[in-house]
Amino acid sequence: MYLVTILGNLLIILAVTSDSHLHTPMYFFLSILSLVDMGFISTTVPKMIVNIHTHSTVISYVSCLSQMSIFTLFGCMDGTLLTVMAYDRFLAICQPLQYPVIMNPHLCCFLLLVSFFISILDSQMHNWIVIQLPCFKDVEISNFFCDPSLLLKLACSDTSTNNIVMYFVGAVYGGTQVSGIFFSYTRILSSVLRVPSSGGRYKAFSTCSSHLAGVCLFYGTGLGVYFSSAVLHSPRKDAVASVLYTVVTPMLNPFIYSLRNRDIKRAMKRFLSKII
């Protein structure tokens, strides 16, 4: 699954960069999303593979904090890029004449930098919350990677304040993303419904179908992880939900964005034919 994820996302990046027809804002953000997905899965799975082969489940405190920080960074980047891509589709469908002027290369780079700095801020906020914990009552983490919510459960001291701060930051950050995506797609839907022909409506909405599927997959599995840890209190079910979120989602993204996109499939065929 790890190799499929890396090769699939790498193929999308190479196809976009090698085809001049795909040098547009939509495919620029798609290639960045593929790069982020590669980093997202590489933060947790290689360590798990090493643990399986060496029959060792040990991780140092510094490595645990580093893994948690980098994992949160890439997870936040994933959500932020999905929001930016929804805004890009909103401009392309609702304001097609002004789209080339608004979504210029400078704005694309600016949105990418803003996404990166916001993700760093959120990542370091979670890191700071965990660093405040004086000690841990149990050194065994019931998952295959260091998750902030699981580390808070192992703290010796009262973590009610830490939990409030962490969930407040997560709610503000996630709520902003979901609100942006919801706003973009409500405007897109209202614009598409005003198109007189059914063929025009299908063509307009087909450009958003793969992105909408990616949004549902990312946030669906993410909410499943948080709800399962909060309601079920089962380490095994928590681990299964985490695998769906951290491994399955990055693996399926290349298939979602390539199988339903003719431009990507053509670019991949051209790229592979050049190599062969």
Side-chain angles (χ1 to χ4, degrees), residues 132-264:
Q132 302 305 309
L133 302 176
C135 62
F136 298 95
K137 60 187 177 184
D138 188 0
V139 295
E140 183 175 324
I141 302 171
S142 57
N143 211 325
F144 65 95
F145 68 96
C146 294
D147 184 69
S149 59
L150 291 176
L151 292 177
L152 287 177
K153 292 180 181 179
L154 303 179
C156 303
S157 58
D158 181 28
T159 60
S160 56
T161 305
N162 302 69
N163 276 311
I164 291 173
V165 173
M166 187 181 73
Y167 283 111
F168 176 77
V169 172
V172 171
Y173 184 82
T176 304
Q177 292 179 350
V178 173
S179 299
I181 294 173
F182 181 76
F183 170 78
S184 297
Y185 274 102
T186 51
R187 296 292 300 274
I188 289 172
L189 184 60
S190 63
S191 179
V192 168
L193 292 177
R194 288 197 298 266
V195 177
S197 63
S198 58
R201 287 195 295 268
Y202 174 78
K203 184 178 180 181
F205 198 72
S206 63
T207 61
C208 306
S209 57
S210 57
H211 176 258
L212 192 58
V215 168
C216 294
L217 181 65
F218 178 78
Y219 284 102
T221 54
L223 290 174
V225 171
Y226 283 103
F227 280 124
S228 63
S229 61
V231 177
L232 299 177
H233 301 290
S234 172
R236 182 177 180 83
K237 292 179 180 178
D238 287 349
V240 171
S242 298
V243 168
L244 291 175
Y245 179 62
T246 59
V247 181
V248 176
T249 300
M251 183 187 70
L252 292 180
N253 273 342
F255 296 99
I256 291 173
Y257 287 103
S258 61
L259 294 179
R260 294 185 59 85
N261 192 308
R262 295 179 180 176
D263 295 333
I264 288 289

Side-chain angles (χ1 to χ4, degrees), residues 83-95:
T83 308
V84 172
M85 291 171 72
Y87 174 68
D88 173 74
R89 292 298 83 206
F90 157 70
L91 290 177
I93 293 175
C94 299
Q95 301 180 21

